[in-house]
């Protein structure tokens, strides 16, 4: 969802500029920032899952000893 919000936000910013509607530009800026935050959160969740997998592999190897 993050990518779509970023894309739509940029579109709203451009539309706000073209139509001279600052509130639309502001809405677009906020939507783009929301999308960026969502993307960062998704990346962090992916990294956390990788770390959990690594930890489980090390635990299994340790238990085999």
């Amino acid at each position: 969802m993050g990518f779509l919000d970023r894309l739509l936000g940029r579109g709203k910013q451009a539309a706000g500029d073209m139509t001279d509607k600052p509130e639309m530009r502001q809405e677009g800026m906020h939507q783009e920032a929301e999308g960026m935050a969502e993307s960062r959160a998704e990346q962090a969740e992916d990294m956390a899952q990788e770390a959990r997998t690594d930890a489980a592999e090390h635990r299994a190897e340790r238990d085999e000893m």
Side-chain angles (χ1 to χ4, degrees), residues 26-62:
Q26 279 288 99
E27 181 181 344
M29 288 173 53
H30 289 294
Q31 189 169 5
E32 183 179 11
E34 178 184 353
M36 291 170 61
E38 286 289 333
S39 292
R40 285 193 311 271
E42 289 171 8
Q43 289 174 344
E45 289 169 0
D46 290 344
M47 289 175 58
Q49 185 57 46
E50 287 178 25
R52 286 185 199 100
T53 300
D54 287 347
E57 289 172 357
H58 288 290
R59 187 176 309 112
E61 287 180 26
R62 187 187 69 211

Side-chain angles (χ1 to χ4, degrees), residues 1-14 21-40:
M1 192 70 179
F3 176 76
L4 183 60
D5 279 332
R6 290 185 356 231
L7 186 64
L8 291 173
R10 286 184 187 177
K12 285 181 184 177
Q13 288 179 62
K21 293 185 178 178
E23 63 278 352
M24 183 180 285
R25 178 163 173 58
Q26 279 288 99
E27 181 181 344
M29 288 173 53
H30 289 294
Q31 189 169 5
E32 183 179 11
E34 178 184 353
M36 291 170 61
E38 286 289 333
S39 292
R40 285 193 311 271

